[in-house]
Amino acid sequence: MPRVSTDQLAARRRQILDGARSCFADHGYEGATVRRLEQYTGLSRGAIFHYFRDKEALFLALAEQDATRMADVVAEQGLVQVMRDLLDSARTPGSGPDGDAGDRSWLGTRLEVSRRLRTDPEFRARWQAHSGALTAATRARLERQAAAGALRDDVPVPVLAQYLELVLEGLVSHLAMGLPAGDLDAVLDVVENGVRATSHTR
Amino acid sequence: MPRVSTDQLAARRRQILDGARSCFADHGYEGATVRRLEQYTGLSRGAIFHYFRDKEALFLALAEQDATRMADVVAEQGLVQVMRDLLDSARTPGSGPDGDAGDRSWLGTRLEVSRRLRTDPEFRARWQAHSGALTAATRARLERQAAAGALRDDVPVPVLAQYLELVLEGLVSHLAMGLPAGDLDAVLDVVENGVRATSHTR
């Protein structure tokens, strides 16, 4: 009998992640039971937990997937573009990467785990490790921009990076709660200009 | 028999709110059962729900209490000062207004209701009504600053107000998740200077 190829393993892993993302979006973290995860992924619990140790590991893998995707956009276009993309996808429900209910519901799931993050230091450490790709990409891009003279030079790069990440957290929270997008494009313009060299006196 | 005075009614209402805040902070929204609310307030369910229709009304009253307190600070010192105060209270656990576990746990409770906000438009409308005092105070202060020439004049005041509120949402989310305060003071300096007239070219 032929062994399962690496491609097949990766495809199976992707199938689980896609199904789990929709399941979390539709039912939240607590509501994503093993039975529902089976339904959404089309796989048995045995298969699912062969790839992921437990529901927490599945959730963190999705957070890591997000961070990696966002880090790709950051490297090319910056963190503000990530925010603009989030804003767009919140405006067009159903446009989620997997054709599911959109990013908004998934963002809500992320907020739901806030209690866990707050009360469980180990979980928080794992969460931070999984979202580290985004922080690294943001800093790297800002460093490149600073070297090119495109960045304001009166504030250290790590502070600017944390500033952008804080705005991203605000946007995630805002959209996840279903609050109106309103003037947020103009707000993001303020944020973007706020880190650039040209909009500030020397 | 003497009738209960208005002062006594207000004191009783405050007693319920103080107890409920600690209960939500310790047990989260779902975990704040009627039995626990009785324990934390020292009152019977009959007394509690004489003052507040249900747990949701109690939660929203606490949100309104926050918004009103913050609005007072905003009127005097601006929304960035509200953020600095949040940062301080997150750094000193146990310094919550009621000597409870601090603001952080309560902020976490707010994030926990994100799912409810997302999926229940009526609840969202009530939430927004209860937090409206903060938005109104923020706009009013910015209008005063604009009239005094202290504000950048290249961005409309409503956009600046939404910008500050978005950063506040990010800070609430960040602190509620127990993430490190890090360089956030310096980040708030960037935010504060970003709305002022002096830090921008004309």
Side-chain angles (χ1 to χ4, degrees):
Chain A
M1 255 166 57
R3 287 176 61 88
V4 180
S5 72
T6 311
D7 277 1
Q8 283 172 310
L9 287 174
R12 181 60 55 92
R13 195 171 183 280
R14 217 163 34 234
Q15 177 184 354
I16 296 168
L17 287 172
D18 289 351
R21 184 180 290 269
S22 299
C23 187
F24 282 127
D26 288 349
H27 300 287
Y29 188 78
E30 298 304 331
T33 58
V34 172
R35 183 178 292 271
R36 281 183 174 144
L37 285 168
E38 288 181 321
Q39 287 163 354
Y40 275 77
T41 59
L43 293 168
S44 71
R45 61 193 69 199
I48 295 169
F49 296 118
H50 174 69
Y51 287 83
F52 298 94
R53 197 180 66 191
D54 48 26
K55 188 164 87 168
E56 181 179 305
L58 200 41
F59 173 81
L60 288 168
L62 288 169
E64 185 174 21
Q65 209 180 42
D66 285 356
T68 306
R69 274 182 195 163
M70 289 179 177
D72 289 344
V73 177
V74 166
E76 296 277 329
Q77 300 169 278
L79 194 58
V80 175
Q81 187 57 45
V82 168
M83 299 189 222
R84 294 194 196 280
D85 290 348
L86 273 177
L87 206 49
D88 284 345
S89 66
R91 283 191 177 119
T92 50
S95 70
D98 315 311
D100 61 14
D103 287 344
R104 207 167 83 180
S105 303
W106 160 246
L107 294 179
T109 303
R110 290 177 47 151
L111 289 199
E112 276 177 56
V113 302
S114 64
R115 185 181 181 190
R116 188 76 184 284
L117 285 166
R118 200 170 71 245
T119 55
D120 183 343
E122 199 200 325
F123 182 68
R124 187 162 66 238
R126 291 177 68 190
W127 164 273
Q128 288 184 284
H130 281 72
S131 41
L134 186 59
T135 299
T138 301
R139 286 207 185 193
R141 179 175 161 93
L142 288 175
E143 294 286 2
R144 285 198 303 277
Q145 286 191 304
L151 220 61
R152 64 189 290 177
D153 57 8
D154 58 337
V155 176
V157 163
V159 173
L160 293 180
Q162 210 174 358
Y163 165 64
L164 293 178
E165 288 195 90
L166 195 68
V167 177
L168 172 66
E169 287 180 278
L171 188 66
V172 165
S173 181
H174 188 92
L175 297 177
M177 290 190 179
L179 298 174
D183 285 333
L184 290 179
D185 295 292
V187 169
L188 293 183
D189 290 341
V190 170
V191 172
E192 188 156 41
N193 291 327
V195 298
R196 283 190 180 151
T198 46
S199 70
H200 287 267
T201 50
R202 298 283 180 142
Chain B
M1 258 167 54
R3 288 176 60 89
V4 180
S5 72
T6 311
D7 277 2
Q8 284 173 310
L9 288 174
R12 182 60 53 92
R13 194 170 184 279
R14 215 163 35 235
Q15 178 184 355
I16 297 168
L17 287 171
D18 288 352
R21 185 181 290 270
S22 298
C23 187
F24 283 127
D26 287 350
H27 300 287
Y29 189 79
E30 298 303 331
T33 57
V34 172
R35 182 178 292 273
R36 281 184 174 142
L37 285 168
E38 288 181 322
Q39 289 165 352
Y40 276 76
T41 60
L43 294 168
S44 71
R45 61 193 69 198
I48 295 170
F49 296 118
H50 174 70
Y51 288 82
F52 298 94
R53 198 179 65 192
D54 49 24
K55 188 163 87 170
E56 181 179 304
L58 200 42
F59 173 81
L60 288 168
L62 287 169
E64 185 175 21
Q65 209 180 43
D66 286 355
T68 305
R69 273 181 197 164
M70 288 179 178
D72 289 344
V73 178
V74 166
E76 297 277 329
Q77 300 170 280
L79 194 60
V80 174
Q81 187 57 45
V82 167
M83 299 189 222
R84 294 195 196 280
D85 291 347
L86 273 178
L87 206 50
D88 283 346
S89 67
R91 282 190 177 121
T92 50
S95 70
D98 315 311
D100 61 15
D103 288 343
R104 206 169 83 181
S105 303
W106 159 247
L107 294 179
T109 304
R110 291 177 46 150
L111 288 199
E112 276 176 56
V113 302
S114 65
R115 185 182 180 189
R116 187 77 185 284
L117 285 167
R118 198 170 72 245
T119 54
D120 183 343
E122 199 200 326
F123 183 68
R124 188 162 65 237
R126 291 178 67 189
W127 165 273
Q128 288 184 283
H130 282 71
S131 42
L134 186 59
T135 300
T138 302
R139 286 207 186 192
R141 180 176 161 92
L142 288 175
E143 294 287 2
R144 285 197 303 278
Q145 286 191 304
L151 221 62
R152 64 189 291 178
D153 57 7
D154 59 336
V155 177
V157 163
V159 172
L160 293 180
Q162 210 174 359
Y163 165 65
L164 292 178
E165 287 195 89
L166 195 69
V167 177
L168 172 65
E169 288 180 276
L171 187 67
V172 165
S173 181
H174 187 93
L175 298 177
M177 289 189 179
L179 298 174
D183 285 333
L184 290 180
D185 295 292
V187 168
L188 293 183
D189 290 341
V190 170
V191 172
E192 188 157 39
N193 290 326
V195 298
R196 283 189 179 151
T198 47
S199 72
H200 287 267
T201 50
R202 298 281 179 143

